[in-house]
Amino acid sequence: METTSSSADDTRSGWSPVLTRVRLKGAHHVVTRHGHAAAVLVPADWHAQAGGKVTDTITAQDAVRGLARLLDRAHAGEHVAVTYRGKTGAVMVPPEWHTQVAGASPGPKNDAPEGSSDTP
């Protein structure tokens, strides 16, 4: 799985390419705040296969406008689905949950290009 990362500010300004990469290419994206992983945006189908339980659903537009709140919710343990054009495309999850589940899945843990991080 390809894993990329960026700060919350960079994620907010580059939201559309991040969401597209997660939705269409199956990438995972770590969002950092103050130098630490705050949340991970994962594809909705990967989340479902991993046994994740969605606690709320918001639109992509609301997600980018309220990114700080979304990161707070993920940090508190919530799994929040993000819809795009009426369909769930991604889920923002706590980094600890992602690390635990991704570490348990078979296959290589990091096919990411050099410079990106596989672990929060």
Side-chain angles (χ1 to χ4, degrees):
M1 96 185 100
E2 176 187 359
T3 303
T4 57
S5 66
S6 64
S7 70
D9 288 337
D10 290 344
T11 300
R12 185 178 298 108
S13 64
W15 177 254
S16 185
V18 167
L19 184 59
T20 299
R21 195 169 35 256
V22 171
R23 282 184 328 105
L24 301 179
K25 294 187 176 183
H28 295 207
H29 189 81
V30 178
V31 182
T32 62
R33 188 164 41 180
H34 308 295
H36 300 285
V40 183
L41 191 64
V42 299
D45 57 346
W46 183 90
H47 182 262
Q49 289 173 355
K53 303 291 185 223
V54 172
T55 55
D56 195 9
T57 303
I58 61 173
T59 66
Q61 190 173 26
D62 289 339
V64 72
R65 285 183 181 159
L67 186 60
R69 174 137 168 72
L70 182 57
L71 295 177
D72 289 342
R73 292 176 71 183
H75 182 72
E78 291 188 52
H79 295 219
V80 181
V82 178
T83 62
Y84 178 78
R85 296 188 178 185
K87 297 180 181 175
T88 301
V91 181
M92 189 72 80
V93 300
E96 300 81 8
W97 182 86
H98 180 266
T99 300
Q100 181 181 34
V101 172
S105 57
K109 288 178 68 174
N110 189 3
D111 334 353
E114 191 171 319
S116 63
S117 172
D118 187 46
T119 54

